[in-house]
Amino acid sequence: EALHGRLECDSDSDNGTVFHLIVPVEVNQACMSFPPLPDAAPWPSVVAVLVRHSFVREALTRQLVEWGHKVTEVHDLTKLSLPQLKACSTVLVDVHTLQNTQATVWAQVRAENIDVVLVGTAAERRGLLPTWGTSLRLCEVPVSEQKLRMVVQTKLTVAAVQEKVAVEALRGCQELGLSEDNLARAKALKVLIVDDNAINRKVLLGMVRSWGLTACQAVDGVEAVEMARADLPDIILMDVQMPRLDGLGATKQIRELENGSKPFICGVSANSLPEDRAEALASGMNDFCTKPIQRSRLALVFKDYVV
């Protein structure tokens, strides 16, 4: 009472008693420093606060409204209609509400790609991982303005990055010279990058991903053969000179696989003599590029395959 606060407790037979001490304090604003939000990322339109303790709901709602959010404050997810649920971009929920709401309701939440944030402890989140996986984010209690801000800002930053990646992917497909009819096919390609040099793999991976394509990596010919057997890649960018098993040997083994895999294999080498190219094609490769490989040259490899 002297501190103008209050003490609350919550008890149940399984978890015992939890005491909550709420004391108003002043925040040193000079210590609160946040990076600016991306200009292109709007605030989420609606945040649902699903916490059974009224003082926690009130505190979260007050802060979110101050930041410009529209907040739906309930203690039971079933009180939200489906249209209201679809309007939410983020759900803040405690472990009690998570565990006492029907699984079908949460299935709807996940189907709508709504961001779910647990307001609780790290131990509570670990206990929910078998059901939720890593998609369940955490705003650890006791909740501070900084923690809540970072939870919301992370959501916005991810959305802005995803939008940027989508724009760059479209630009990349234009760079590939593909028509709209071939865009979906190009994005569905499985690409395998094989090189014993990490920097070379990173460079090729960056080019491929800038075009909106996905790729996996192997560090030598042995790994390449195993991944070709298991993953059935569509295109393989194969370094020629590697330890354990070089690119020529790996290509020959891949061509002998009996899993129906017939990937387009492009050899990549620092050797540029005509006989080097001839040897690569003789091993079963479809094309041959010299290092350092240019974007325009690599784009032709993908365009020729797709078209």
Side-chain angles (χ1 to χ4, degrees):
E1 293 181 359
L3 296 174
H4 306 288
R6 64 183 188 272
L7 181 66
E8 296 183 4
C9 68
D10 181 59
S11 301
D12 60 61
S13 57
D14 295 327
N15 300 313
T17 301
V18 178
F19 292 91
H20 304 273
L21 174 64
I22 302 95
V23 178
V25 296
E26 292 185 2
V27 178
N28 184 354
Q29 297 297 331
C31 297
M32 304 292 289
S33 176
F34 304 99
L37 291 169
D39 294 335
W43 286 99
S45 58
V46 178
V47 177
V49 179
L50 311 175
V51 180
R52 63 172 174 167
H53 292 299
S54 60
F55 66 91
V56 177
R57 290 202 311 272
E58 293 168 2
L60 292 173
T61 299
R62 183 169 55 253
Q63 184 61 76
L64 291 167
V65 169
E66 182 179 325
W67 289 337
H69 294 273
K70 295 179 181 179
V71 178
T72 299
E73 179 187 337
V74 294
H75 67 278
D76 184 353
L77 188 58
T78 60
K79 302 297 183 182
L80 288 178
S81 65
L82 186 58
Q84 288 176 314
L85 185 62
K86 289 183 177 180
C88 297
S89 59
T90 302
V91 174
L92 300 177
V93 61
D94 62 6
V95 67
H96 178 271
T97 306
L98 271 175
Q99 294 176 335
N100 289 275
T101 303
Q102 293 182 357
T104 54
V105 178
W106 289 120
Q108 288 182 323
V109 172
R110 303 173 89 169
E112 295 297 331
N113 197 29
I114 298 170
D115 187 38
V116 179
V117 179
L118 173 66
V119 180
T121 66
E124 289 173 338
R125 180 177 181 271
R126 284 195 299 270
L128 294 166
L129 286 180
T131 303
W132 279 84
T134 56
S135 63
L136 180 64
R137 298 199 294 127
L138 175 67
C139 184
E140 193 168 11
V141 293
V143 179
S144 65
E145 179 181 346
Q146 184 175 13
K147 291 177 183 177
L148 184 61
R149 179 68 177 263
M150 292 305 297
V151 163
V152 176
Q153 184 159 323
T154 299
K155 165 78 174 178
L156 298 177
T157 302
V158 169
V161 170
Q162 290 174 338
E163 181 179 356
K164 181 180 179 181
V165 169
V167 172
E168 290 180 348
L170 178 59
R171 187 184 302 119
C173 288
Q174 293 173 345
E175 183 180 352
L176 289 171
L178 297 175
S179 65
E180 292 185 4
D181 294 338
N182 288 321
L183 290 182
R185 185 182 175 193
K187 291 181 180 180
L189 292 176
K190 292 182 180 180
V191 182
L192 174 59
I193 298 172
V194 187
D195 200 304
D196 62 311
N197 187 289
I199 295 177
N200 292 339
R201 292 198 306 271
K202 186 175 182 179
V203 170
L204 289 174
L205 187 63
M207 291 185 189
V208 171
R209 286 180 174 173
S210 72
W211 293 326
L213 309 179
T214 58
C216 53
Q217 306 174 58
V219 300
D220 57 35
V222 175
E223 283 193 7
V225 174
E226 290 302 316
M227 295 182 73
R229 178 183 290 109
D231 299 334
L232 302 177
D234 300 296
I235 296 179
I236 301 178
L237 304 177
M238 181 81 73
D239 185 25
V240 173
Q241 295 181 331
M242 294 181 292
R244 293 213 297 173
L245 180 63
D246 63 19
L248 303 179
T251 298
K252 293 177 182 177
Q253 291 190 25
I254 291 172
R255 294 306 184 204
E256 294 173 356
L257 292 177
E258 298 180 355
N259 62 349
S261 175
K262 297 181 180 180
F264 184 97
I265 303 178
C266 178
V268 182
S269 175
N271 299 325
S272 57
L273 296 176
E275 50 265 37
D276 296 317
R277 177 182 178 84
E279 186 178 15
L281 298 180
S283 71
M285 293 181 177
N286 302 93
D287 202 350
F288 183 82
C289 297
T290 58
K291 298 179 182 179
I293 189 169
Q294 301 298 314
R295 287 181 65 90
S296 57
R297 178 66 182 89
L298 188 59
L300 286 175
V301 172
F302 287 92
K303 181 179 180 180
D304 290 344
Y305 178 83
V306 173
V307 176

